Amino acid sequence: MNRLSSFNVVSLTLGFVFLYVPMLILVIYSFNASQLVTVWAGFSTKWYGELLSNDAFLDAAWVTLRVAVISSTIATVLGTMAAYVLVRGGRFMGRTLFSGMIYAPLVMPEVITGLSLLLLFIGLGLDRGVLTIVLAHTTFSMCFVSVLVSSRLVSFDRSLEEAALDLGASPWDAFRLITLPIIAPAVISGWLLAFTLSLDDLVIASFTSGPSATTLPMKIWSSVRLGVSPEINALSTILIGLVTVGVIAASLASKQAALRARRDEQTAARAA
Amino acid sequence: MRRAVLIAVPYAWLLALFLIPFAVVFKISLSDIALAIPPYTPTAKDGIWTMLSQLDFENFVFLTQDDLYWKAYVSSLQIALISTLFTLLVGYPMAYAMARAPEQWRPTLLMLVILPFWTSFLIRVYAWVGILSGEGFLNQFLLWVGIVDTPLTILNTNTAVYIGIVYTYLPFMILPIYSALDRLDGSLIEAAEDLGCSRIKAFWLVTIPLSRNGIIAGCFLVFIPALGEFVIPSLLGGSGTLMIGKVLFEEFFSNRDWPVASAVAVILLLILIIPIVLFQRNEQRQVEDGR
């Protein structure tokens, strides 16, 4: 039953070739000695050197990193709260509006979100800079976090929490000691998702940042509009490498956690 | 008491930074054109009546007079629709093969689909600039194989935009279809085949209808963001590629005509409300079916 037909194999192979070859070409050509991106002139790492001595890129990378860490942390707290309210909150006034506001930003075109936030910030007289980008990124990424966390909250056994409450735990203790450890994987992947969304965002950052703060995607954007550049290839390769290492490490860690959980369960079953 | 705080904090945040900004956009779309100056007069401070009496619809009238905007809306819809279809054609066979793959391969295949999603969107679009350009990788390859004699012009055309959208949004199509197919009970197909269906007929009559929710979710997840896309048409499309996201961005940053940009955004939002509401309904039904 579980044998792949040749049609399946072909569609998978072609699909993955389509997904990965463009990035592979980018990586290969980042080591090209030639200034012309389409002519191969031997192996060289000079573009990496030039990139690392480019202060504008380094400054932008620092801004981007700060924004991503701060906004994804706030977004994880707010998103987890929102998920808890959605799943466990019961009925309250304006619940439909609340869940609408959680789901709508997921599909809202970035140009509209960016435009509306910019007009708000100007209306409030807020100076645009790191703070306004953080506010904007927190808002859209908290929704992604809350969707991830709420799917985890829905699927876990509520009686565990109730047992803790029956045994005299305060609601906060029940959350801290029972709920949080169980939803922790979703909370962590929510943070990671918020972090990458923030690192990646061009459009909303363009609208909400002022002259004092330029993010890395904005910097990349202004260079790639002029065409292909070997420096950007080098930068892309570094980013692709970081993501690949990060994702592989995360998946190994979660595999290990799953193994440990299974072992614990078996031990518990034997003890009982 | 705690519960109230728990609800109030994220609620207030979303109201302040998601809902109110839209009200501002709506308000500005009805304001006078005042170049490079925030068109904020009159405000609520001046009283509701002054606000209402000063509303004017000239920005919307302006949009109907200049056919650039209509063409941009229509061509955005067309580009989003066609590329959604192509994404489905590429994504469905992949999702199907993944769901049919041996159990122990599936996590790896899933990771391979998700990995590009974690990689910068901008960089993935940019990768195609070097491939599709006149002396780019694709043309070099086609010339070398001998399929074409002269380099094809692909970059800066709508074809490049289709390729870009299919490429960047493919994971959004594969994942929901995969999860629908993964849940599908294999014995149903066996039963259909036992009852005399050919494999292809069983596929059309059993597999496709049972994966319908995944197909619908995937199509919306590609179509809705593609409609307002800005990066892909700006990098891969040509001067002839009209997409409303690009028009909005340029109206705002180059022409600095905020009221018109806001009016463009309001209409785009109105167009989007229909698919977004349909999508949410479908999601809700799926959740109810699942339990």
Side-chain angles (χ1 to χ4, degrees), chain A residues 39-124:
Chain A
V39 183
W40 183 258
F43 181 87
S44 155
T45 53
K46 70 173 174 183
W47 302 115
Y48 290 86
E50 284 198 15
L51 181 72
L52 292 178
S53 57
N54 188 333
D55 282 341
F57 274 112
L58 294 180
D59 284 346
W62 177 230
V63 170
T64 314
L65 206 63
R66 266 189 309 169
V67 167
V69 169
I70 303 172
S71 68
S72 55
T73 307
I74 307 175
T76 306
V77 175
L78 287 173
T80 307
M81 285 168 87
Y84 199 81
V85 167
L86 273 181
V87 179
R88 297 284 148 87
R91 306 225 160 265
F92 58 88
M93 255 203 12
R95 199 197 144 90
T96 320
L97 177 67
F98 186 72
S99 73
M101 286 195 299
I102 292 288
Y103 286 102
L106 305 183
V107 283
M108 198 54 66
E110 288 170 318
V111 275
I112 295 189
T113 312
L115 176 76
S116 65
L117 282 167
L118 169 60
L119 294 176
L120 176 81
F121 292 147
I122 289 175
L124 292 175

Side-chain angles (χ1 to χ4, degrees), chain A residues 118-119 121-125 128, chain B residues 27-28 31-43 256 258-259:
Chain A
L118 169 60
L119 294 176
F121 292 147
I122 289 175
L124 292 175
R128 281 174 290 148
Chain B
K27 162 86 180 58
I28 290 185
S31 313
D32 268 326
I33 294 171
L35 286 179
I37 303 161
Y40 261 109
T41 49
T43 58
R256 301 195 135 268
W258 295 6

Side-chain angles (χ1 to χ4, degrees), chain A residues 28-43:
Chain A
I28 294 171
Y29 274 83
S30 74
F31 294 105
N32 187 1
S34 161
Q35 170 83 51
L36 289 167
V37 209
T38 44
V39 183
W40 183 258
F43 181 87

Side-chain angles (χ1 to χ4, degrees), chain A residues 18-20 25 89 91 94 103 107 109 112 115-119 122 139 196 200 217 224 228-229 233 239, chain B residues 3 11 13 17 22 25 40 94 97 112 115-116 118 120-123 126 135 137 167 224 252 258 269 272 280:
Chain A
F18 176 61
L19 277 178
Y20 283 96
I25 293 175
R91 306 225 160 265
Y103 286 102
V107 283
I112 295 189
L115 176 76
S116 65
L117 282 167
L118 169 60
L119 294 176
I122 289 175
T139 307
T196 29
D200 200 22
V224 300
V228 186
S229 100
N233 286 358
L239 293 177
Chain B
R3 179 169 170 270
Y11 210 145
W13 184 287
L17 288 156
F22 283 120
V25 172
Y40 261 109
M94 283 182 78
L112 283 173
L115 195 62
W118 291 91
S120 168
F121 181 84
L122 182 55
I123 285 171
Y126 160 72
E135 64 277 14
F137 208 79
Y167 180 69
I224 296 170
F252 197 86
W258 295 6
L269 206 60
L272 273 166
Q280 262 193 321

Side-chain angles (χ1 to χ4, degrees), chain B residues 222-260:
Chain B
V222 175
F223 178 78
I224 296 170
L227 198 59
E229 187 51 57
F230 160 72
V231 172
I232 298 172
S234 307
L235 267 191
L236 301 178
S239 48
T241 308
L242 268 180
M243 282 192 84
I244 202 66
K246 196 176 134 194
V247 169
L248 173 54
F249 201 87
E250 275 157 14
E251 199 65 59
F252 197 86
F253 284 109
S254 309
N255 298 347
R256 301 195 135 268
D257 192 341
W258 295 6
V260 167

